[in-house]
Amino acid sequence: MKDQDLGHLIARVKEGALSRRSFIRKAAAVGLAAPFANQLLAFNGVAMAKANLPYKPTKAGGGGPLKMLLWQAPTLLNPHFASGTKDQIASRIFYEPLAGWDKEGNLFPQLAAEIPSKANGGLSADGKEVIWKIKPGVKWHDGKPLTADDAVFTWEYAADPATAAYTTGAYKDIKVEKVDDLTIKVIFKEPTPFWADAFVGVAGMIIPKHHFGEYKGTKSRDAPANLKPVGTGAYKFADFKPGDILTAERNTEYHVANHPHFDTLEVKGGGDAVSAARAVLQTGEYDYAWNLQVEDEVLKRMETGGRGKISAVVSGDIEFIILNTTDPWTEVDGERSSIKTKHPTLSDPKVREALNLLIDRDSVQKFIYGRGGIATASFVNQPAKFKSTKLKYEFNIDKANKILDDAGYKKGSDGIREKDGKKLKYVFQTSINAPRQKTQQIIKQACQRAGIDLELKSVTASVFFSSDVANPDTYTKLYVDMEMYTTTQPQPDPERFLNQFVSWEVASKENKWLGRNVSRYTDKDADEAYKAAQKELDPDKRAALLIKVNEIFCEAHVILPLLSRTRVAASVTNLMHDHSGWDVDTWNLAAWYRS
Amino acid sequence: MGAYLLRRLLIAIPSLLGISLILFTVLALAPGDPFSEMATNPNVPPEVREALRASFGLNDPIMVRYVRWLSNMVQGDWGFSFASRIDVDTLILQRVPTTLFVVGSSQILALCIALPVGIYAATRPYSLFDQVANTLAFVGFSLPTFFTGLLLILIFSVSLDWFPFVYRSDLAATGWRWYWEMFRQAIMPITVLGLFQAASYTRYVRSAVLDVIRLDYVTTARAKGLGEKTVTLRHITRNALIPVVTLIALQMPAVFGGAIVTEQIFRIPGIGSLLIDAILANDTPVIMAVTFVFACLVVIFNLIADVLYGWLDPRISFS
Amino acid sequence: MAGSTLASPSAEPVSGPAQTSAGTSPGRETWKRFRRHKLAMASSFVLGTLILGVVIGPWLWPVAINDIDFSAQLQTPSWQHPFGTDDLGQDLLARMIYGGRISLAVGLAAMFVATFVGILIGAIAGMSRGAVDNFLMWVTDLFLSLPQLPLLLLVIYFFREQLKAVFGVEGGVFVLIVVVIGGLKWMPVARLVRAQFMSLREKEFVEAAKANGATKFRQMVHYILPNAIGPVIVAATIEVSSAIIAESTLSFLGLGFPPDIPTWGRLLFDAKDHLDSAPHWALFPGAAIFLTVLSINFIGDGLRDALDPRRVI
């Protein structure tokens, strides 16, 4: 589709001659994904769709209690300290951002009156300014009105390094100005194609200045509101026991008419994913359970009772394998897997290519993840606009054997291939999680048939994902030949996500292994494409650049993507919920109801 | 006796200090840090992690951190949790009642089963009753609690729908209904823990009673014409109690420490689940506080056991 | 024990070698008594069969433990798979046999380590008074209060690579697991033995032995220990099952065997999520652990009865 055609279509949508839905369909037909198509509309001044859950109740309240089960219990309720999804989910009950992301990756206004666009003057042509209009008449739970001051304060609070807010990445490089009582202006230093970061989604929750004003910076821990949140959300705080239970009641002054439906809310934490699914699907003790990383077979069996159902929505998270091209077994300047070294065998692209052929992605999806993941050869899969159409995967042991034969790796007496005395024996590490251990076994077996020996290693997740400098088992140290994990793509835009493929982010001793490029593989073209994408305002060209970064790494077979993960939740049959892969589960809690 | 007690209590102080130092060192050296959740999220810049490490004092040398912890502790400041950023003592106090109730009840249940069954089985060794009791006891401790707990859930919650399997610390009901709901939600965890504990207790009681039952003084007591009941209770049980007291003293700190696996299965907000969550999140102040209280209880109950030995068998001297 | 006044040395609970009646050696006497204990004999047979089964099993049932077959997921027992299959279609009999080697070895070895350390520390503490006792009890208290999980992570972190270098992957893990489980489970044994010793060391027969010039060591080994062994045997048997189960917990911390190596505890753990649809998966490892514990217990009972001349069977 040419640019002119697209412009023509957009014009027709504006005139009303073409429905949004058919626009998206037409766009999808030419490989333009819904989220992107929507963004395109937004960028060109077409109003965003309403939330995709139609709300049926005709009055607020009367829905009785809503009981949610999070198998990891929330421990704090300040959205800017929320370290994990569990805390973000809990904070989102009380606090709201200006806009949230729905399941198609569209921006949906929450505290904003409308989504900024070029047409409404919200987006400047140079890509350096965003003007947000705040919805009038919104009140905090204590009755005070929400104003632009609260939004400006939220920026000051999160941007202050002394506060050490986890959301600081969205705020530290911007400036926020108050235009009038209900309008703010976000100013970027550079043209920023992806502007919907500050005040949007999990990082965007606005906090009341009159409760947090005195507790900015180093005093942030002392704020009483950290434990007794005062927000604008559909439910008001009642009680909280960290690590156990959170209760809330209906906000009778909620700013959306006839919302919300439930009278009280309970969020219980603890336990494990399987039994959480059981409590919803089999016994119905709870209405909703989140993040069910459980083998699909188990879930399907629980669903047969008819009490509950599973919902899976796409997300940008990707389960993948890194092949280490540096040498993890030789220490140079106090670190292993240093970029100064070369892996004896994995630095050979032929070996990596063979390994990529030995991963039975279809079986992993079919027999282990089920609805929890979609087999893929591309690192970025969502929004589909950014997915490479070129990358394909294949499971072919014969072909792998042939590649290795041709490359001169001969089987020894023990059945393991070797060349120049270097054996194809690898340590394959991942975090402890039943589906991952099963995937490891499947890959190990295929490798065995190609004369490659894998030693499986599993590390407890709390160690694997830590930034502990002293520990050799963290995933950023990569003191193994290959490793597998999932990395999260927090927004429906892969720019920041792809920073794990750039040379200046290589994890090393120097940056205390905090660098985001864990594979340590670098490529000049990828670096250049990434830098160009950061400034490119044309959505198509920018997407092409980011796809290029992705393809360079996947085609080098350094990154072997396995599955594009979905977010899986369980609910009782009569609960209508709105679950998005681009925002937390409670992002649109106000619209949930019981039919 | 008084002087002995005082001396033991005085020894307890340096020994607790030593334990606390070792605990602290182990926790400080143990791998992991409190920020693993942020690790795979590209939106959290590494500087934030570094700033937090610094503000939590994680970059200081271990000894500095230990001295700081100790001096705060002496002043009654237990520190704050890295995960929830609230005071550790508040966090622990929230969990104590539930833990005492669930684990305490299960210990009582275990003793109520183990003492009579063990004694009765030992007075009739290799009788049918003894064989059945033994076999059940073996089943009891061959099956881990994660397994029996799940079995009970599948039978009583999923199939029969009698009991809920999610334990709630804030039941909505009041009055008699509250007691009824409490009973319904507590019965499965208490049973799982109680039976597991009862299985091993039964074996110990039986063995201890068997050890004394054929001693001459028991025969003498019987010969004097004392009733079988009196002989069993007065003469045998008291003398068989030493190992039992040892075991109970070993288990009492657990009433505070909770039962990690069972608490996880039934989502009981007890100290055990607080501890495991803290460990997985590397929330050192919480781990340190819980384990230190636990250590104090271990030392105290060891002392109590020693005193009880002297009472049970006056010939044990403590000089 | 209060009131347990014994009439004469010849009526002592356990006679030292000097008191043995002429003609039969104490070993043979014990063996004779043990043989009369039917359950103990039967249990020895069962345990022997289990051990033999896991040792020669791979020759009798030469099926690979890790052959993944998605067409045979969660099958119930059949001629092709006598114990059924798991969710990757792997043959459970082969996995049970392989896992049994590890579980039995870990269970028994860890039991011996824990019991030996426990008896040693308990006996020394129980025999000595004052500083030595205080110090040993301090160590016991310390080990009781150490949070096991961080400690385990620390141990892996410090020692895994070294042990792997010395003993190889599986050997290193085996040594580590036995040491870790043994090292964290000896405390109850030590406390029990100490309590028994404190009571027994005051008894007349010990006094008598002392008067006869028995050294402290001899008093401990020949006179007190045999009488303190009751609770130790119970503790040891409980230890076997808890070690087998603890091994499965360890592998979930990344401390245990690599994830593709089955053990009985791990099979049981893996099976739990499929308990409602594939109970056979849990049944076999559960039954195997139970049989092991049962037979070890009865052997323990038999041993104790055989060692104790007072007992009439």
Side-chain angles (χ1 to χ4, degrees):
Chain A
M1 186 183 280
K2 287 183 195 134
D3 280 1
Q4 300 100 294
D5 297 347
L6 207 59
H8 178 65
L9 281 179
I10 291 168
R12 284 184 62 202
V13 179
K14 272 189 190 169
E15 288 158 16
L18 187 69
S19 77
R20 291 175 50 82
R21 204 162 282 276
S22 31
F23 170 78
I24 291 170
R25 243 199 328 265
K26 280 189 172 54
V30 292
L32 210 61
F36 180 71
N38 267 312
Q39 264 195 327
L40 211 61
L41 289 177
F43 199 76
N44 287 284
V46 180
M48 285 297 216
K50 286 283 167 208
N52 30 33
L53 174 71
Y55 187 72
K56 296 262 175 60
T58 50
K59 67 175 179 70
L66 170 65
K67 295 163 84 180
M68 295 173 73
L69 199 51
L70 306 184
W71 55 270
Q72 283 176 358
T75 50
L76 47 77
L77 298 176
N78 181 325
H80 296 279
F81 291 154
S83 58
T85 321
K86 58 191 192 338
D87 301 326
Q88 291 163 346
I89 288 179
S91 326
R92 193 63 169 270
I93 295 168
F94 308 109
Y95 297 102
E96 294 169 299
L98 290 176
W101 295 108
D102 71 12
K103 69 183 73 166
E104 288 170 5
N106 303 319
L107 277 177
F108 176 72
Q110 294 196 303
L111 289 179
E114 57 185 4
I115 300 298
S117 65
K118 270 186 180 162
N120 65 17
L123 300 179
S124 70
D126 64 357
K128 284 185 168 179
E129 282 178 15
V130 180
I131 291 173
W132 287 94
K133 288 208 168 61
I134 294 170
K135 188 173 177 180
V138 178
K139 285 199 181 87
W140 293 102
H141 291 158
D142 59 5
K144 296 233 165 60
L146 168 81
T147 69
D149 290 323
D150 294 310
V152 174
F153 171 73
T154 301
W155 162 67
E156 286 170 356
Y157 182 88
D160 186 344
T163 311
Y166 292 1
T167 50
T168 195
Y171 297 93
K172 67 185 169 66
D173 297 324
I174 61 169
K175 257 182 73 178
V176 179
E177 283 172 4
K178 176 180 173 180
V179 177
D180 63 42
D181 264 1
L182 289 176
T183 313
I184 57 163
K185 189 198 273 182
V186 177
I187 302 160
F188 300 100
K189 283 182 192 140
E190 302 283 333
T192 305
F194 184 73
W195 51 268
D197 190 10
F199 304 113
V200 172
V202 285
M205 288 178 253
I206 296 186
I207 52 173
K209 189 178 181 182
H210 60 283
H211 281 280
F212 287 94
E214 292 168 38
Y215 301 100
K216 197 160 75 73
T218 46
K219 280 182 297 184
S220 56
R221 191 183 80 81
D222 303 323
N226 282 345
L227 289 170
K228 289 193 168 57
V230 177
T232 54
Y235 295 90
K236 270 160 95 165
F237 176 79
D239 190 29
F240 178 47
K241 293 203 180 81
D244 176 21
I245 201 163
L246 170 66
T247 50
E249 54 200 30
R250 184 165 69 87
N251 175 9
T252 48
E253 305 285 308
Y254 190 57
H255 56 82
V256 181
N258 298 335
H259 290 60
H261 173 64
F262 296 98
D263 299 310
T264 58
L265 172 69
E266 176 191 313
V267 181
K268 167 83 181 171
D272 62 293
V274 178
S275 75
R278 214 184 277 293
V280 172
L281 299 174
Q282 283 191 313
T283 68
E285 268 178 71
Y286 280 78
D287 296 314
Y288 184 86
W290 139 93
N291 190 18
L292 299 176
Q293 295 177 10
V294 178
E295 284 134 275
D296 206 33
E297 279 304 307
V298 177
L299 292 178
K300 274 188 190 146
R301 233 172 20 237
M302 289 183 190
E303 273 181 300
T304 52
R307 266 185 161 162
K309 56 185 193 281
I310 290 290
S311 89
V313 292
V314 294
S315 78
D317 303 352
I318 176 98
E319 178 91 16
F320 69 109
I321 293 174
I322 293 176
L323 297 182
N324 190 354
T325 53
T326 66
D327 187 353
W329 312 112
T330 311
E331 197 168 296
V332 177
D333 300 335
E335 68 176 313
R336 284 152 56 183
S337 291
S338 152
I339 43 169
K340 291 173 199 139
T341 59
K342 262 180 84 178
H343 195 285
T345 51
L346 281 177
S347 54
D348 181 346
K350 288 287 162 199
V351 177
R352 299 201 301 265
E353 189 185 342
L355 273 166
N356 192 37
L357 288 166
L358 294 170
I359 300 170
D360 189 357
R361 294 175 174 84
D362 287 327
S363 291
V364 171
Q365 179 191 338
K366 188 167 170 212
F367 297 107
I368 297 177
Y369 286 87
R371 289 163 286 183
I374 302 152
T376 181
S378 172
F379 188 69
V380 178
N381 296 280
Q382 293 290 338
K385 157 80 174 170
F386 296 102
K387 181 175 177 171
S388 161
T389 47
K390 195 163 85 179
L391 297 170
K392 296 276 182 292
Y393 65 84
E394 187 186 355
F395 172 58
N396 191 335
I397 297 178
D398 296 336
K399 202 166 157 188
N401 268 319
K402 190 169 178 309
I403 291 173
L404 292 171
D405 282 337
D406 293 348
Y409 293 90
K410 297 274 169 295
K411 276 189 186 168
S413 56
D414 50 359
I416 300 167
R417 288 178 187 273
E418 58 177 284
K419 182 176 159 183
D420 310 329
K422 287 178 255 177
K423 279 183 180 287
L424 300 189
K425 274 181 94 155
Y426 302 122
V427 176
F428 178 18
Q429 159 179 287
T430 188
S431 76
I432 292 173
N433 166 303
R436 285 204 179 115
Q437 266 72 67
K438 298 214 166 98
T439 310
Q440 273 185 316
Q441 288 188 45
I442 293 174
I443 296 172
K444 175 173 175 161
Q445 210 192 17
C447 285
Q448 237 166 18
R449 295 194 180 134
I452 300 173
D453 184 51
L454 297 188
E455 178 192 332
L456 304 186
K457 179 175 165 189
S458 49
V459 182
T460 182
S462 65
V463 172
F464 190 66
F465 292 115
S466 77
S467 57
D468 186 344
V469 177
N471 199 293
D473 290 337
T474 63
Y475 79 111
T476 55
K477 282 256 173 75
L478 193 69
Y479 283 3
V480 288
D481 303 292
M482 50 202 280
E483 72 179 10
M484 171 170 72
Y485 60 95
T486 281
T487 186
T488 42
Q489 183 189 337
Q491 302 115 337
D493 183 276
E495 181 191 307
R496 196 171 291 150
F497 180 62
L498 283 171
N499 70 1
Q500 45 197 313
F501 291 166
V502 299
S503 62
W504 57 93
E505 282 285 349
V506 168
S508 67
K509 192 185 172 200
E510 203 181 328
N511 56 27
K512 294 187 180 166
W513 294 276
L514 289 172
R516 300 231 354 117
N517 183 347
V518 176
S519 72
R520 289 146 170 80
Y521 187 79
T522 56
D523 185 285
K524 238 197 195 138
D525 293 341
D527 281 354
E528 274 166 21
Y530 185 83
K531 277 184 186 155
Q534 284 184 305
K535 291 189 195 109
E536 181 57 62
L537 285 176
D538 181 282
D540 273 343
K541 288 185 190 152
R542 179 164 172 274
L545 288 166
L546 291 173
I547 288 173
K548 189 174 167 196
V549 177
N550 172 9
E551 283 172 352
I552 288 172
F553 271 70
C554 293
E555 281 173 344
H557 304 301
V558 169
I559 298 289
L560 314 180
L562 296 181
L563 297 158
S564 161
R565 300 291 298 270
T566 55
R567 303 248 172 105
V568 180
S571 69
V572 290
T573 320
N574 62 2
L575 179 75
M576 299 292 134
H577 62 84
D578 195 4
H579 168 211
S580 162
W582 301 109
D583 212 328
V584 292
D585 296 51
T586 47
W587 80 278
N588 195 16
L589 189 61
W592 292 25
Y593 65 96
R594 212 185 283 282
S595 62
Chain B
M1 199 61 171
Y4 168 74
L5 258 181
L6 189 71
R7 197 165 51 96
R8 281 293 299 265
L9 281 174
L10 283 178
I11 295 174
I13 292 171
S15 76
L16 276 173
L17 274 181
I19 289 178
S20 75
L21 176 63
I22 292 172
L23 287 179
F24 200 92
T25 316
V26 167
L27 291 184
L29 291 179
D33 72 9
F35 315 114
S36 51
E37 288 251 26
M38 293 188 256
T40 53
N41 186 342
N43 276 352
V44 181
E47 305 92 82
V48 175
R49 273 190 268 174
E50 255 322 283
L52 277 169
R53 282 190 77 87
S55 77
F56 288 168
L58 290 176
N59 289 339
D60 298 335
I62 295 177
M63 280 324 287
V64 175
R65 285 156 60 190
Y66 175 69
V67 171
R68 190 165 52 210
W69 174 83
L70 190 67
S71 64
N72 287 343
M73 190 79 174
V74 170
Q75 294 162 30
D77 174 8
W78 293 31
F80 67 90
S81 152
F82 294 160
S84 62
R85 312 213 179 172
I86 69 170
D87 290 333
V88 170
D89 43 350
T90 324
L91 218 50
I92 291 179
L93 285 177
Q94 278 175 355
R95 304 295 184 105
V96 166
T98 307
T99 316
L100 292 185
F101 168 63
V102 175
V103 188
S105 312
S106 67
Q107 291 286 343
I108 293 170
L109 176 72
L111 286 175
C112 288
I113 294 174
L115 283 175
V117 172
I119 293 172
Y120 191 79
T123 52
R124 284 159 192 76
Y126 304 109
S127 65
L128 183 68
F129 178 85
D130 185 34
Q131 309 274 24
V132 172
N134 275 326
T135 311
L136 287 180
F138 297 142
V139 176
F141 57 77
S142 321
L143 292 179
T145 45
F146 73 75
F147 194 81
T148 41
L150 188 72
L151 205 62
L152 287 193
I153 288 176
L154 285 178
I155 296 173
F156 293 105
S157 293
V158 175
S159 300
L160 298 174
D161 217 352
W162 286 359
F163 309 120
F165 71 90
V166 176
Y167 188 100
R168 300 175 55 196
S169 52
D170 65 332
L171 284 173
T174 49
W176 284 109
R177 246 194 93 72
W178 187 88
Y179 285 103
W180 172 239
E181 290 292 323
M182 200 65 191
F183 170 77
R184 286 196 344 132
Q185 71 173 358
I187 184 160
M188 285 200 294
I190 292 178
T191 309
V192 166
L193 268 179
L195 291 184
F196 185 71
Q197 206 54 260
S200 56
Y201 279 175
T202 307
R203 292 288 299 160
Y204 280 113
V205 171
R206 176 181 177 275
S207 144
V209 172
L210 267 182
D211 270 347
V212 292
I213 205 161
R214 289 182 204 276
L215 292 182
D216 298 352
Y217 76 94
V218 179
T219 320
T220 315
R222 281 214 186 88
K224 277 199 302 191
L226 291 178
E228 191 59 30
K229 214 171 149 186
T230 328
V231 173
T232 310
L233 290 181
R234 286 258 180 86
H235 295 258
I236 299 174
T237 310
R238 178 166 176 171
N239 289 292
L241 271 179
I242 286 194
V244 179
V245 163
T246 312
L247 279 171
I248 295 173
L250 275 167
Q251 281 299 325
M252 284 318 279
V255 175
F256 164 79
I260 291 176
V261 175
T262 314
E263 286 182 18
Q264 287 284 100
I265 296 172
F266 295 99
R267 295 184 163 75
I268 300 167
I271 302 274
S273 65
L274 177 71
L275 182 65
I276 191 76
D277 286 346
I279 288 173
L280 293 178
N282 286 290
D283 195 348
T284 323
V286 176
I287 312 174
M288 192 60 207
V290 172
T291 48
F292 187 64
V293 174
F294 189 79
C296 294
L297 291 174
V298 168
V299 171
I300 291 170
F301 277 98
N302 192 7
L303 177 58
I304 293 177
D306 277 1
V307 173
L308 281 176
Y309 298 155
W311 175 74
L312 287 170
D313 185 349
R315 275 183 305 180
I316 294 178
S317 62
F318 290 105
S319 48
Chain C
M1 291 171 197
S4 65
T5 323
L6 298 161
S8 68
S10 64
E12 291 314 342
V14 175
S15 345
Q19 278 92 9
T20 327
S21 52
T24 39
S25 75
R28 278 184 92 168
E29 179 71 23
T30 310
W31 172 232
K32 233 169 91 184
R33 286 167 178 280
F34 184 78
R35 258 190 348 212
R36 288 220 302 266
H37 199 300
K38 286 200 197 72
L39 274 170
M41 284 307 288
S43 297
S44 311
F45 179 74
V46 171
L47 189 66
T49 314
L50 276 173
I51 293 175
L52 198 70
V54 300
V55 172
I56 64 165
W59 284 280
L60 301 178
W61 186 250
V63 174
I65 56 162
N66 53 2
D67 247 347
I68 295 169
D69 178 4
F70 288 118
S71 61
Q73 281 180 302
L74 292 178
Q75 280 184 0
T76 47
S78 63
W79 282 113
Q80 205 184 353
H81 301 288
F83 282 11
T85 58
D86 64 12
D87 61 342
L88 292 179
Q90 296 166 328
D91 182 67
L92 280 174
L93 176 57
R95 291 173 80 75
M96 281 290 297
I97 293 172
Y98 193 93
R101 292 177 166 193
I102 297 175
S103 289
L104 282 175
V106 165
L108 294 174
M111 181 263 278
F112 280 118
V113 171
T115 315
F116 179 75
V117 175
I119 291 179
L120 193 70
I121 293 198
I124 296 174
M127 280 308 277
S128 48
R129 294 149 205 256
V132 177
D133 179 28
N134 280 337
F135 175 74
L136 288 176
M137 279 303 103
W138 177 79
V139 173
T140 313
D141 287 349
L142 171 70
F143 270 84
L144 279 170
S145 38
L146 279 172
Q148 305 205 342
L149 222 132
L151 188 71
L152 290 175
L153 293 178
L154 192 68
V155 170
I156 320 172
Y157 164 47
F158 276 140
F159 301 113
R160 185 180 48 205
E161 296 299 319
Q162 285 89 323
L163 282 171
K164 211 163 100 179
V166 179
F167 297 100
V169 178
E170 287 185 28
V173 173
F174 179 77
V175 171
L176 196 64
I177 286 181
V178 168
V179 170
V180 160
I181 297 180
L184 289 176
K185 302 246 175 200
W186 56 268
M187 296 82 75
V189 180
R191 284 269 192 93
L192 283 165
V193 169
R194 172 178 170 267
Q196 293 288 81
F197 266 57
M198 280 170 41
S199 166
L200 292 167
R201 72 182 182 207
E202 313 289 343
K203 294 268 149 71
E204 288 85 350
F205 69 92
V206 181
E207 300 274 314
K210 210 189 283 177
N212 277 342
T215 59
K216 228 170 186 178
F217 180 75
R218 201 181 152 76
Q219 287 171 36
M220 271 164 64
V221 175
H222 285 265
Y223 295 87
I224 306 185
L225 192 57
N227 289 291
I229 212 75
V232 171
I233 286 179
V234 177
T237 50
I238 293 176
E239 221 56 73
V240 176
S241 61
S242 83
I244 290 176
I245 290 158
E247 183 279 320
S248 68
T249 328
L250 293 182
S251 54
F252 276 82
L253 299 174
L255 168 61
F257 291 92
D260 51 331
I261 305 264
T263 65
W264 288 351
R266 211 190 151 89
L267 286 171
L268 195 59
F269 195 95
D270 285 345
K272 76 179 168 55
D273 291 341
H274 300 269
L275 196 57
D276 40 358
S277 65
H280 66 272
W281 189 356
L283 183 73
F284 292 108
I289 298 174
F290 169 68
L291 272 180
T292 310
V293 171
L294 188 78
S295 49
I296 291 174
N297 263 284
F298 282 129
I299 295 170
D301 275 2
L303 267 180
R304 192 181 58 164
D305 291 355
L307 282 168
D308 187 343
R310 271 174 303 145
R311 198 135 294 144
V312 189
I313 300 167

